[in-house]
Amino acid sequence: MIMEQKYRRLYDFVSTIRVLCILCTISYVVFWFLKIINFPCINYAGIVFNPLTSIIKATHFLNWTIKYNDFYIDMTPIIAALGFQTIYFLLQPVLNTIKVLDRRHRLNKIAEKRLEEKLVNENLKEIFINKTLEYTKFAILLSLNVKADINPNMIEKNIDTNNMPMLEYVKIVNIMRKKYPTCKAITPGKLFMVYDNFTIFDDFLSDIITEVKSFCAENQEKGLITEFKVAIDAVEESGKVSKILEFLEKISALGYTNKAISTPAFKMRYNLNSQKNKYNLETIGISRFFENNLDKTQKGIDIELFSLKTFKSKAEKKGG
């Protein structure tokens, strides 16, 4: 049984006394028996046993002798043995009390530890939230790819599929800047946008996706397939836009077509929005990204990525 050290010492001490009581009980019974049969040298043993029997006789509480035929049998050794046996049984509740005290002490320590852990976790959570709230902006990288549905020769000759994505990027930027004047955008062969209000991310992304779907539908009527990739990240106030763009391009290069993919930083910040979020971020696995160090070596970093999916309504859940 595992016990606290102070209770273990006390428990072992009381247990030792009980063992000694058993030994004394047996010893006094044997001494009494040998004394009755006048075992040789029994008087020498009396040096050890007589002091206690003398104290018992001095009490004059009872007659400590029993007459058997013409002999008187001294019963004080048996009385002493019974006394030790009584002490043995009386110490059992003491052991039980020590066990109870030890268990209560350990439960109190567990409760104190859990309370301490709870306070630490709450403190860490508060630090985490404050740190995550420093991501005041979000960045979106949109990539479009237009190609022929079946046979490239079947599409109209005046349609330039290579130039169509760039025209669409410019169109989306003009539309978004009318509704979100402070958004920043560049088109380095792709559309990269940064906005500084996390609380309206759902509306912002929905407007982009709506325009992209409209673009896809128009192209489908022309016999074209339009694939899109959306990579999303959270940006600190002092974060370097160039590094964010480079990172999102790596995510886009993974080939998740017709999906919106986010980073862990975005997921953490997005989940702190006070309003009910439109999108559910489901994990799609862990990907390894490589960075070039100063010593021209590549260091791999494993990052979990998430796919943005709209929450199903209750009606959709019942039907699907």
Side-chain angles (χ1 to χ4, degrees), residues 247 250-251 253-254 256 285-291 298-305:
F247 182 44
K250 290 180 180 180
I251 295 176
L254 294 174
Y256 292 105
I286 297 175
S287 298
R288 171 155 291 191
F289 295 85
F290 293 93
E291 294 181 350
Q298 284 192 332
K299 181 180 179 182
I301 302 175
D302 293 331
I303 297 179
E304 186 176 14
L305 298 178

Coordinates of all heavy atoms in Angstrom, one line a residue, residues 247 250-251 253-254 256 285-291 298-305:
F247 N 4.4 31.5 -48.0 CA 3.9 30.4 -47.3 C 2.6 29.9 -47.9 O 2.4 28.7 -48.2 CB 3.7 30.7 -45.8 CG 3.2 29.5 -45.0 CD1 3.8 28.3 -45.1 CD2 2.1 29.7 -44.1 CE1 3.3 27.2 -44.3 CE2 1.7 28.6 -43.3 CZ 2.3 27.4 -43.5
K250 N 3.2 27.9 -51.0 CA 3.6 26.6 -50.8 C 2.3 25.7 -50.5 O 2.3 24.6 -51.0 CB 4.5 26.5 -49.6 CG 5.9 27.1 -49.8 CD 6.8 27.0 -48.6 CE 8.1 27.6 -48.9 NZ 9.0 27.5 -47.7
I251 N 1.4 26.3 -49.8 CA 0.1 25.5 -49.5 C -0.6 25.3 -50.8 O -1.1 24.2 -51.1 CB -0.8 26.3 -48.5 CG1 -0.1 26.3 -47.2 CG2 -2.1 25.6 -48.4 CD1 -0.8 27.1 -46.1
A253 N 0.6 25.1 -53.7 CA 1.3 24.1 -54.6 C 1.0 22.7 -54.2 O 1.3 21.7 -55.0 CB 2.8 24.4 -54.5
L254 N 0.4 22.4 -53.1 CA 0.1 21.1 -52.7 C -1.0 20.5 -53.5 O -1.2 19.2 -53.5 CB -0.4 21.0 -51.2 CG 0.8 21.4 -50.2 CD1 0.2 21.5 -48.8 CD2 1.9 20.4 -50.2
Y256 N -4.6 21.2 -53.6 CA -5.9 21.0 -53.1 C -6.9 21.9 -54.0 O -7.1 23.0 -53.7 CB -6.0 21.4 -51.6 CG -5.3 20.4 -50.7 CD1 -4.1 20.8 -50.1 CD2 -5.8 19.2 -50.4 CE1 -3.4 20.0 -49.3 CE2 -5.1 18.3 -49.6 CZ -3.9 18.7 -49.0 OH -3.2 17.9 -48.2
G285 N -5.1 16.6 -42.7 CA -3.8 15.9 -42.5 C -2.6 16.9 -42.2 O -2.8 18.1 -42.2
I286 N -1.5 16.3 -42.1 CA -0.3 17.1 -41.8 C 0.6 17.1 -43.0 O 0.9 16.0 -43.6 CB 0.5 16.5 -40.6 CG1 -0.4 16.6 -39.3 CG2 1.8 17.2 -40.4 CD1 0.2 16.0 -38.1
S287 N 1.1 18.2 -43.4 CA 2.0 18.4 -44.6 C 3.4 18.9 -44.1 O 3.5 19.6 -43.1 CB 1.4 19.3 -45.6 OG 0.2 18.8 -46.1
R288 N 4.4 18.5 -44.8 CA 5.8 19.0 -44.5 C 6.2 20.1 -45.4 O 6.1 20.0 -46.6 CB 6.8 17.8 -44.5 CG 8.2 18.3 -44.4 CD 9.1 17.2 -43.9 NE 8.8 16.8 -42.5 CZ 9.6 16.0 -41.7 NH1 10.7 15.5 -42.3 NH2 9.3 15.8 -40.5
F289 N 6.6 21.2 -44.8 CA 7.1 22.3 -45.5 C 8.6 22.5 -45.3 O 9.1 22.2 -44.1 CB 6.4 23.6 -45.1 CG 4.9 23.6 -45.4 CD1 4.0 23.0 -44.6 CD2 4.5 24.1 -46.6 CE1 2.7 23.0 -44.9 CE2 3.1 24.1 -46.9 CZ 2.2 23.5 -46.1
F290 N 9.3 23.0 -46.3 CA 10.8 23.1 -46.1 C 11.2 24.6 -46.2 O 10.6 25.3 -47.0 CB 11.5 22.3 -47.2 CG 11.3 20.8 -47.1 CD1 10.3 20.1 -47.7 CD2 12.2 20.1 -46.2 CE1 10.1 18.8 -47.6 CE2 12.0 18.7 -46.1 CZ 11.0 18.1 -46.7
E291 N 12.2 24.9 -45.4 CA 12.7 26.3 -45.4 C 14.2 26.2 -45.6 O 14.9 25.4 -45.0 CB 12.4 27.0 -44.1 CG 10.9 27.3 -43.8 CD 10.6 28.0 -42.5 OE1 11.6 28.1 -41.7 OE2 9.5 28.4 -42.3
Q298 N 18.1 22.6 -45.8 CA 16.6 22.7 -45.7 C 16.1 22.0 -44.4 O 16.5 20.9 -44.1 CB 16.0 21.9 -46.9 CG 16.0 22.7 -48.2 CD 15.1 22.1 -49.3 OE1 14.9 20.9 -49.3 NE2 14.6 22.9 -50.2
K299 N 15.3 22.8 -43.8 CA 14.7 22.3 -42.5 C 13.2 22.0 -42.7 O 12.5 22.9 -43.1 CB 14.9 23.3 -41.4 CG 14.3 22.9 -40.0 CD 14.6 24.0 -39.0 CE 14.0 23.5 -37.6 NZ 14.2 24.6 -36.6
G300 N 12.8 20.8 -42.4 CA 11.4 20.4 -42.6 C 10.5 20.8 -41.4 O 10.9 20.6 -40.3
I301 N 9.3 21.3 -41.6 CA 8.4 21.6 -40.6 C 7.1 21.0 -40.9 O 6.5 21.1 -42.0 CB 8.2 23.1 -40.4 CG1 9.5 23.8 -40.2 CG2 7.2 23.5 -39.3 CD1 9.4 25.3 -40.1
D302 N 6.5 20.2 -40.0 CA 5.2 19.6 -40.2 C 4.1 20.5 -39.7 O 4.1 20.9 -38.5 CB 5.1 18.2 -39.4 CG 6.1 17.2 -40.0 OD1 6.4 17.3 -41.2 OD2 6.6 16.3 -39.2
I303 N 3.1 20.8 -40.5 CA 2.0 21.7 -40.2 C 0.7 21.0 -40.6 O 0.6 20.5 -41.7 CB 2.2 23.0 -41.0 CG1 3.5 23.7 -40.5 CG2 1.0 23.9 -40.7 CD1 3.7 25.0 -41.2
E304 N -0.2 21.1 -39.7 CA -1.6 20.5 -39.9 C -2.4 21.6 -40.7 O -2.4 22.8 -40.4 CB -2.3 20.2 -38.6 CG -3.6 19.5 -38.8 CD -4.2 19.1 -37.5 OE1 -3.8 19.6 -36.4 OE2 -5.2 18.3 -37.5
L305 N -3.0 21.1 -41.8 CA -3.9 22.0 -42.6 C -5.3 21.6 -42.4 O -5.7 20.5 -42.0 CB -3.5 21.8 -44.1 CG -2.0 22.2 -44.4 CD1 -1.7 22.0 -45.9 CD2 -1.7 23.7 -44.0

